[in-house]
């Protein structure tokens, strides 16, 4: 007997669509998701302007070769699922996938990303310093094709979308200079993008990307103008997705009077953080827990997702407040005024650690994914480990870098971040740490280290290097300059080779 047909529902929530199950289409969140303890991701909306929405009947039409088809399939099944890390995957799993059907520039970029990502995953530890286009003919061919396509269009939303994809390609290659230029270009274009679609879906991505040039740039020339990514806070947060000046500290302006304009701007940002905190406290934590492909892959469970979703935002908030408060301070002792903030940030991470299933505590080299596009916990834990001078707090942060970090978070490399934080702790407290990150020798400075023993910042060579030890063994690592001030307040740089 032939199977009885049924009407296929195409208007269900995004979560039910991804799971390929029928949705009851309850609003604002469907009952099927709520009763199964899943996060209902809501319903897709048609963009009002800019790129037109198009959902072809056949996925990936007009594929020219088997290698292209395989790369697109791998992107759909693997790459897009993991690039977002712990954040909402909608951009990669839905928007990019759909536009790759009818925009050649997007499709070429997707093939390049997929091929580089697969190579990155396959090479494991060997690729953590980046894979290269020149070594991947398929990726190189399609990256060049995407550039050619962009030269023939004046469609700003399309250029903005592909700009994000280009940044991902440069992240995979550890090419910080090109990634910064793409980021600055995209943020500049946002100022002229009067399309509601682009501002709704692309602005949040660029807002998160806007911070990395400040970490990896070599000076103010690399810092993007953030006017185009500024927008007022909403009246309330609907979900966790919504909630998502060195010269005065180290340069010639040290101990100089800070201009009234800068102090006023500091106060404005402080008020915005206050508003964010109020809105965040009013967020309903029961119905907005973003189950991502990564959390489902590891079967992490609703308690982990709940803890992670709140923790990543609370950590960013606490450390943003501290960074803002010390922006114009002249020495490193200023961080000691905010030890309670560091402790609150660490407590949020420890809560995530406490609900992480034992089955997910595997060596980083065996984890999937090896690379994510977004910034996760790693950079914030590194900040706690290097700027909070309470030894017990920073040792816990050091441990959690390995537990909660991904081998590569955009340009942040876990092995490098861990080794650098570990060495800063050793220098400031006069101690040697073992492989578990615990003191292996007596601690010469168990309390808060004096200002002249504190590392202001580090200067690291962009590429790893090797040297031969006394036993003829090749050691891989990085050449690092630890910038400090001595007892006479003079700048000194302590150069060392840090083994990986």
């Amino acid at each position: 007997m032939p199977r009885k047909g049924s009407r296929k529902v195409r208007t269900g929530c995004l979560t039910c669509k991804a799971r390929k199950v029928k949705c009851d289409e309850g609003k604002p969140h469907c009952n099927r998701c709520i009763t199964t303890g899943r996060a209902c991701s809501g319903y897709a909306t048609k963009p009002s302007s800019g790129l037109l929405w198009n959902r072809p009947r056949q996925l990936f039409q007009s594929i020219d070769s088997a290698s292209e088809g395989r790369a697109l399939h791998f992107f759909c099944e693997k790459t897009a699922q993991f690039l977002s890390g712990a954040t909402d995957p909608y951009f990669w799993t839905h928007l990019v996938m759909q536009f790759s059907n009818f925009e050649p520039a997007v499709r070429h970029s997707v093939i390049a990303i997929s091929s580089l990502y697969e190579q990155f995953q396959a090479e494991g530890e060997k690729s953590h310093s980046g894979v290269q286009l020149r070594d991947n003919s398929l990726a190189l061919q399609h990256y060049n094709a995407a550039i050619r396509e962009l030269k023939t269009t004046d469609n700003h939303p399309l250029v903005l979308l592909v700009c994000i994809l280009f940044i991902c390609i440069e992240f995979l290659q550890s090419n910080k200079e090109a990634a910064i230029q793409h980021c600055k270009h995209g943020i500049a274009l946002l100022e002229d993008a009067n399309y509601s679609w682009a501002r709704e879906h692309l602005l949040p991505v660029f807002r998160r990307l806007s911070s990395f040039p400040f970490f990896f740039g070599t000076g103010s020339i690399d810092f993007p103008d953030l006017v185009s990514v500024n927008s007022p806070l909403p009246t309330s947060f609907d979900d966790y997705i919504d909630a998502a000046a060195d010269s005065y500290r180290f340069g010639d302006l040290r101990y100089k009077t800070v201009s009234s304009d800068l102090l006023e701007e500091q106060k404005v940002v402080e008020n915005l953080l206050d508003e964010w905190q109020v809105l965040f406290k009013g967020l309903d934590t029961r119905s907005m827990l973003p189950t991502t492909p990564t959390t489902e892959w590891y079967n992490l469970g609703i308690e982990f997702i709940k803890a992670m979703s709140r923790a990543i935002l609370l950590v960013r908030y606490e450390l943003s407040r501290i960074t803002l408060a010390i922006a114009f301070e002249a020495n490193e002792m200023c961080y000691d005024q905010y030890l309670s903030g560091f402790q609150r940030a660490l407590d949020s991470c420890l809560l995530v650690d406490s609900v992480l299933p034992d089955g997910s505590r595997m060596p980083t080299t065996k984890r999937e994914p090896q690379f994510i596009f977004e910034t996760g916990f790693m950079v914030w834990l590194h900040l706690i480990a290097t700027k909070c001078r309470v030894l017990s707090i920073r040792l816990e942060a050091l441990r959690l870098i390995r537990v909660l970090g991904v081998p590569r978070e955009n340009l942040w490399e876990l092995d490098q971040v861990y080794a650098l934080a570990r060495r800063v702790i050793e220098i400031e407290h006069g101690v040697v740490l073992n492989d578990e990150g615990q003191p292996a020798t007596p601690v010469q400075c168990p309390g808060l280290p004096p200002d002249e023993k504190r590392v202001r910042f580090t200067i690291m060579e962009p590429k790893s290097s090797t040297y031969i030890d006394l036993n003829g063994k090749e050691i891989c690592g990085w050449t690092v300059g630890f910038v400090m001030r001595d007892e006479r307040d003079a700048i000194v740089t302590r150069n060392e080779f840090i083994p990986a």
Side-chain angles (χ1 to χ4, degrees):
M1 178 182 293
R3 184 166 63 92
K4 183 179 180 180
S6 62
R7 182 176 66 89
K8 187 171 183 179
V9 178
R10 298 182 182 275
T11 56
C13 78
L14 300 174
T15 302
C16 289
K17 282 184 178 182
R19 297 178 59 219
K20 297 181 174 63
V21 298
K22 186 176 180 180
C23 178
D24 58 63
E25 301 187 58
K27 302 294 176 62
H29 306 291
C30 81
N31 293 323
R32 182 164 198 142
C33 287
I34 294 174
T35 55
T36 57
R38 297 179 183 274
C40 181
S41 299
Y43 302 86
T45 57
K46 184 177 180 180
S48 57
S49 59
L51 291 173
L52 295 179
W53 199 267
N54 183 13
R55 185 164 187 148
R57 292 177 178 273
Q58 181 182 356
L59 194 63
F60 305 132
Q61 304 174 68
S62 305
I63 296 174
D64 296 329
S65 69
S67 60
E68 293 176 15
R70 183 185 179 283
L72 289 167
H73 180 75
F74 185 83
F75 186 90
C76 180
E77 295 296 320
K78 284 276 186 153
T79 311
Q81 306 294 323
F82 291 117
L83 284 175
S84 60
T87 61
D88 177 38
Y90 183 79
F91 173 81
W92 296 101
T93 58
H94 290 74
L95 298 185
V96 173
M97 296 296 295
Q98 291 189 22
F99 286 123
S100 65
N101 281 285
F102 58 92
E103 288 293 350
V106 176
R107 181 185 301 185
H108 288 305
S109 301
V110 163
I111 292 173
I113 291 172
S114 180
S115 185
L116 289 172
Y117 181 91
E118 184 175 15
Q119 181 184 349
F120 195 101
Q121 290 286 118
E123 293 184 6
E125 288 184 294
K126 295 184 294 183
S127 68
H128 288 170
S129 59
V131 292
Q132 299 299 315
L133 279 169
R134 63 175 178 269
D135 301 325
N136 189 317
S137 59
L138 180 67
L140 179 61
Q141 171 192 344
H142 285 276
Y143 188 38
N144 289 333
I147 293 174
R148 289 195 298 270
E149 289 289 342
L150 280 189
K151 289 180 178 179
T152 65
T153 183
D154 57 358
N155 189 327
H156 275 191
L158 173 62
V159 175
L160 283 167
L161 174 62
V162 176
C163 185
I164 295 173
L165 304 184
F166 281 4
I167 292 171
C168 184
I169 291 172
E170 301 303 343
F171 279 169
L172 282 160
Q173 298 182 90
S174 294
N175 191 344
K176 67 177 183 179
E177 291 83 6
I180 287 172
Q181 290 309 308
H182 285 311
C183 184
K184 289 179 62 178
H185 180 59
I187 289 174
L189 284 176
L190 271 173
E191 192 167 0
D192 299 323
N194 296 318
Y195 303 102
S196 61
W197 180 91
R199 289 206 162 264
E200 179 182 355
H201 296 289
L202 303 184
L203 177 58
V205 181
F206 277 108
R207 184 179 287 119
R208 294 194 296 271
L209 284 171
S210 65
S211 63
F212 91 86
F214 292 91
F215 286 109
F216 292 97
T218 57
S220 59
I221 192 173
D222 286 337
F223 300 161
D225 182 356
L226 300 182
V227 173
S228 53
V229 300
N230 288 335
S231 58
L233 287 173
T235 56
S236 65
F237 289 149
D238 292 329
D239 52 35
Y240 284 110
I241 299 161
D242 282 350
D246 287 344
S247 60
Y248 275 97
R249 299 210 63 229
F250 309 114
D252 297 335
L253 300 180
R254 204 162 173 260
Y255 299 119
K256 299 293 184 180
T257 302
V258 181
S259 71
S260 58
D261 289 346
L262 287 176
L263 291 174
E264 180 62 29
E265 185 175 355
Q266 184 184 39
K267 187 64 178 178
V268 168
V269 178
E270 183 181 338
N271 290 337
L272 287 172
L273 285 171
D274 289 339
E275 292 179 36
W276 183 94
Q277 185 185 34
V278 172
L279 293 174
F280 188 76
K281 287 181 178 179
L283 180 60
D284 184 356
T285 63
R286 295 170 297 177
S287 59
M288 303 139 194
L289 306 176
T291 302
T292 69
T294 304
T295 56
E296 287 192 340
W297 177 270
Y298 288 116
N299 192 28
L300 293 175
I302 197 69
E303 287 304 315
F304 176 84
I305 296 168
K306 179 178 179 180
M308 178 191 65
S309 300
R310 289 188 62 81
I312 190 68
L313 295 174
L314 287 172
V315 169
R316 289 174 183 172
Y317 165 77
E318 292 289 354
L319 297 182
S320 294
R321 289 216 77 118
I322 295 172
T323 305
L324 175 67
I326 58 89
F328 306 120
E329 297 291 341
N331 62 49
E332 287 291 295
M333 305 300 285
C334 59
Y335 284 103
D336 298 348
Q337 302 174 49
Y338 305 98
L339 298 181
S340 58
F342 282 118
Q343 183 66 66
R344 286 192 296 270
L346 179 66
D347 288 343
S348 295
C349 295
L350 288 171
L351 180 60
V352 179
D353 180 41
S354 69
V355 294
L356 182 66
D358 291 338
S360 300
R361 297 178 186 275
M362 60 184 71
T364 54
T365 54
K366 296 182 179 180
R367 291 180 195 169
E368 188 172 5
Q370 294 286 301
F371 169 88
I372 61 173
F373 178 78
E374 299 283 354
T375 297
F377 285 98
M378 185 162 59
V379 61
W380 305 109
L381 288 166
H382 175 81
L383 185 58
I384 297 173
T386 55
K387 294 302 180 182
C388 175
R389 270 64 185 213
V390 177
L391 184 57
S392 59
I393 293 178
R394 61 199 321 188
L395 290 180
E396 275 289 81
L398 185 68
R399 178 184 68 84
L400 290 175
I401 288 175
R402 283 179 166 173
V403 176
L404 302 181
V406 174
R408 269 281 303 282
E409 297 178 3
N410 51 66
L411 291 175
W412 298 97
E413 184 177 343
L414 188 145
D415 287 346
Q416 186 182 77
V417 166
Y418 181 89
L420 190 58
R422 171 179 166 172
R423 187 61 189 135
V424 169
I425 295 171
E426 289 180 331
I427 290 173
E428 294 190 350
H429 290 278
V431 65
V432 175
L433 302 180
N434 59 24
D435 291 340
E436 285 71 43
Q438 294 298 312
T441 62
V443 181
Q444 297 178 16
C445 183
L448 300 176
D451 191 46
E452 66 270 13
K453 285 188 174 293
R454 300 190 180 195
V455 176
R456 265 60 178 169
F457 59 94
T458 57
I459 304 170
M460 179 174 287
E461 294 295 327
K463 301 294 183 182
S464 61
S465 57
T466 59
Y467 82 96
I468 308 299
D469 67 10
L470 297 177
N471 298 318
K473 182 180 178 181
E474 187 177 75
I475 306 297
C476 181
W478 304 271
T479 300
V480 182
F482 297 91
V483 180
M484 309 171 70
R485 284 188 179 269
D486 61 18
E487 294 86 347
R488 295 171 297 176
D489 205 31
I491 295 177
V492 294
T493 302
R494 177 173 175 168
N495 294 308
E496 295 186 16
F497 182 86
I498 307 300

